[in-house]
Amino acid sequence: MNSWKSWLRALTVFALLSAPSLAVWSQDWKDISKPEEVRKLLSNKTLSGFGADGRQQTTYYRADGAGLKVVEGERIPRTWTVRDDGLYCVTEKDTYCFRVQQSVAKPSEIRATFESGLHELEFHIEDGIPSF
């Protein structure tokens, strides 16, 4: 019986300590949903992070809609556009669209969520791109 009370007490403490941090965590991201804001956020930028396949990738987006993704040394041309609803879409072989959020605490961090909501990816974003 003592172990049950200890376990319950530990669970209660964890829940009380976690609740405020979960609330703060959910407020750390702001939606970027106006098309002009999305274009400004991604134009002439370098994004680095992990793709939906779990591999490290670096992606470059030019303001003219050209893009390049580099995964394990492979260069994959792509294009990108922003829809009227603020989702940005990339096209390689297929087209995928994403909702964008930006970290409030670290504006150089963005979150891209597939339109379907299935995958959520986080990237570090920097100004500038190489020539391609």
Side-chain angles (χ1 to χ4, degrees):
M1 186 68 104
N2 244 353
S3 64
W4 168 251
K5 287 181 181 179
S6 296
W7 181 83
L8 185 58
R9 188 175 302 128
L11 182 62
T12 303
V13 169
F14 174 77
L16 290 173
L17 293 175
S18 297
S21 63
L22 290 174
V24 168
W25 180 83
S26 67
Q27 295 172 2
D28 283 346
W29 297 92
K30 65 178 179 176
D31 292 330
I32 308 297
S33 57
K34 293 182 180 173
E36 62 275 6
E37 291 176 352
V38 175
R39 272 188 215 88
K40 182 179 177 182
L41 181 67
L42 298 176
S43 291
N44 297 316
K45 299 292 193 301
T46 297
L47 282 68
S48 55
F50 292 90
D53 62 2
R55 296 185 300 165
Q56 178 72 37
Q57 71 179 45
T58 302
T59 304
Y60 307 102
Y61 290 123
R62 286 195 324 221
D64 67 2
L68 177 68
K69 180 171 78 172
V70 180
V71 179
E72 297 176 350
E74 181 183 2
R75 298 167 59 92
I76 305 162
R78 58 174 24 186
T79 59
W80 71 283
T81 60
V82 179
R83 295 189 334 200
D84 290 341
D85 62 0
L87 272 65
Y88 84 95
C89 301
V90 297
T91 301
E92 292 170 14
K93 292 177 185 174
D94 296 314
T95 299
Y96 302 97
C97 298
F98 303 87
R99 291 177 190 82
V100 183
Q101 293 179 306
Q102 186 174 32
S103 171
V104 173
K106 296 179 182 177
S108 62
E109 305 298 320
I110 66 167
R111 179 184 288 166
T113 304
F114 277 80
E115 183 176 19
S116 66
L118 279 179
H119 296 285
E120 189 174 271
L121 311 171
E122 292 185 15
F123 296 98
H124 177 77
I125 189 167
E126 296 178 21
D127 287 331
I129 55 171
S131 295
F132 62 89

